[in-house]
Amino acid sequence: MSRFLFVGSTAAYSGKSAIILGLASHLKQKGMAVAYGKPLGACMGGDCPPDGSDPDVKFIGDWLGLADECKLPTIARLDPETVMGAIDETTRVDYPAKLAAYQQQCGAQLKILEGPGDLQEGQLFQLSLADMATKLDAAILLLVRYDSAVVVDTVLGAQRLLGNRLIGVVFNDVPADERATVADHVVPYLEHHHIPVLGILPANRILRSISVSDLVHQLDAQILCCEERLDLLVEEIAIGAMNVNSALKYFRKSEHKAVITGGDRTDIQLAALETSTNCLILTGQLPPTDLIRQRAEELEIPILSVDLDTLTTVERIERVLGQARLHEEVKVRCVEELVEHELNFARLFDLLDIPHPREKVKSA
């Protein structure tokens, strides 16, 4: 019989897809049959697939090599059309019934489902995390992005809302200088309040990065060179608005960055290219000189041109750093390693009341 596990979160962009991919990869390697689905898809932008699917389900399902029937379908999407249909009652869909159909789809031992962005999202469709877990008699593993010990209050609130279905918590994106606080103070407190802590995942620059390709999309940018290197990842942003000597000192402090500067600042552009820069973003609609273009091509560093001022460009990039989809192989390999080392799988299986995969393989 299949067991359902929801991976939920207290806030959007907490890393649910990443944790699910790492967890499912580990289980597959141990010989356990798994399925994955995202009942409520989030798609408020212009990149919504026309068939109603969710990009995460396709990417993760394909990466794991899941059979089509084990890529559980998205049954509702948070896009404007679907939301207005529910508000105006012009679209009548029995979403809980569609969710219940997951019981008959795919015979995997563990069906891992990605929860909504937070604990409230999905109520419009009767698809909040609590609603869905009750409908499927599912366990819930809660992912919490850690910024300070204040998140303990949020976890206690989640426990009150989710009840016994909450089998544990995983802290994600924990800064190195906060790990001791989490391990020595936060974890014992939560354990004392019957909330198991199953992992403390450290902050990771790669996972918070964004590809140059995503920057092109977010900034509606024109690609001026090195179109074949849009897979490069940007971890930080830097603004080039000072003299060249100060710029060099400033640029050397950051790695794998995108440098934003005016199209007329050839000196700054050259300084950026000679440091650890993965993308040059030019404002003012001014093309780079032949010297800059040639040097960028030699170093295989993309140059983008944007019809935005510097402040707006920075704001747009900062908004998406740490929120990009997990669709690059380097990120996938990174999260697989993190989850493998930091998640307490044995305790998770005990809490789910399912055989440990290693034991299953031995008895086969």
Side-chain angles (χ1 to χ4, degrees):
M1 181 178 177
S2 296
R3 184 79 161 99
F4 285 95
L5 172 66
F6 267 102
V7 176
S9 62
T10 55
Y13 304 111
S14 294
K16 294 186 296 294
S17 298
I19 300 304
I20 288 171
L21 198 153
L23 171 61
S25 293
H26 174 88
L27 298 179
K28 287 260 307 176
Q29 290 171 9
K30 298 298 183 182
M32 180 182 284
V34 299
Y36 166 64
K38 190 175 180 180
L40 182 63
C43 188
M44 296 300 287
D47 57 348
C48 306
D51 61 357
S53 63
D54 188 275
D56 288 334
V57 176
K58 174 173 173 51
F59 178 81
I60 293 177
D62 289 350
W63 180 270
L64 296 172
L66 300 182
D68 287 344
E69 65 268 21
C70 292
K71 302 172 188 173
L72 303 176
T74 296
I75 59 178
R77 219 165 54 175
L78 279 173
D79 59 58
E81 182 179 356
T82 306
V83 168
M84 288 308 302
I87 291 173
D88 296 338
E89 299 185 342
T90 55
T91 304
R92 297 184 181 274
V93 179
D94 189 345
Y95 291 110
K98 292 170 74 73
L99 180 70
Y102 278 7
Q103 298 276 13
Q104 286 73 47
Q105 296 172 13
C106 182
Q109 184 178 359
L110 185 64
K111 296 178 180 179
I112 307 172
L113 303 179
E114 184 170 339
D118 57 34
L119 300 178
Q120 288 75 43
E121 194 173 87
Q123 295 182 80
L124 183 63
F125 311 109
Q126 299 179 60
L127 295 177
S128 70
L129 181 59
D131 289 335
M132 292 192 288
T134 299
K135 186 70 177 179
L136 294 174
D137 191 23
I140 297 172
L141 180 65
L142 196 66
L143 188 65
V144 180
R145 175 162 274 172
Y146 187 91
D147 49 16
S148 74
V150 175
V151 299
V152 168
D153 197 46
T154 304
V155 174
L156 293 174
Q159 181 191 41
R160 178 173 294 185
L161 176 65
L162 302 174
N164 291 334
R165 296 199 179 280
L166 177 62
I167 63 168
V169 169
V170 172
F171 286 112
N172 191 26
D173 204 23
V174 179
D177 59 357
E178 290 281 347
R179 187 178 181 92
T181 298
V182 176
D184 298 339
H185 299 278
V186 173
V187 171
Y189 179 86
L190 292 177
E191 294 279 356
H192 178 72
H193 285 78
H194 310 292
I195 303 176
V197 178
L198 303 182
I200 303 172
L201 304 185
N204 185 282
R205 293 165 63 92
I206 293 176
L207 295 181
R208 292 185 63 82
S209 64
I210 183 171
S211 69
V212 177
S213 176
D214 282 338
L215 286 180
V216 171
H217 175 71
Q218 294 293 334
L219 300 174
D220 193 23
Q222 179 185 359
I223 306 165
L224 302 182
C225 80
C226 303
E227 188 168 0
E228 70 283 358
R229 294 311 316 272
L230 301 185
D231 60 332
L232 290 174
L233 296 178
V234 169
E235 299 175 6
E236 299 181 65
I237 55 176
I239 302 172
M242 66 287 284
N243 66 63
V244 67
N245 289 330
S246 298
L248 271 171
K249 293 178 182 178
Y250 171 49
F251 292 156
R252 285 170 179 158
K253 295 178 181 178
S254 303
E255 295 184 348
H256 312 301
K257 62 187 173 293
V259 173
I260 305 165
T261 191
D264 58 343
R265 293 299 307 270
T266 301
D267 54 344
I268 297 294
Q269 296 163 27
L270 192 58
L273 292 174
E274 299 306 323
T275 62
S276 178
T277 298
N278 281 359
C279 179
L280 195 57
I281 302 174
L282 306 185
T283 61
Q285 291 289 287
L286 295 173
T289 64
D290 291 341
L291 171 65
I292 295 297
R293 186 188 296 269
Q294 180 180 350
R295 186 59 178 149
E297 289 174 347
E298 290 174 355
L299 298 170
E300 297 185 315
I301 298 174
I303 300 178
L304 310 181
S305 176
V306 296
D307 189 17
L308 302 167
D309 60 65
T310 299
L311 180 59
T312 303
T313 303
V314 171
E315 288 176 344
R316 287 196 184 182
I317 297 175
E318 286 184 335
R319 197 181 311 146
V320 296
L321 273 174
Q323 300 181 4
R325 292 185 184 277
L326 184 79
H327 288 186
E328 292 89 15
E329 181 174 351
V330 64
K331 287 188 177 183
V332 173
R333 298 298 185 191
C334 180
V335 79
E336 285 178 333
E337 183 176 346
L338 276 177
V339 172
E340 181 74 25
H341 285 89
E342 301 292 345
L343 192 65
N344 189 336
F345 288 98
R347 193 176 184 195
L348 174 63
F349 301 140
D350 289 340
L351 290 165
L352 287 170
D353 194 24
I354 59 176
H356 292 212
R358 184 175 300 171
E359 295 172 1
K360 180 180 178 182
V361 172
K362 283 183 178 179
S363 62

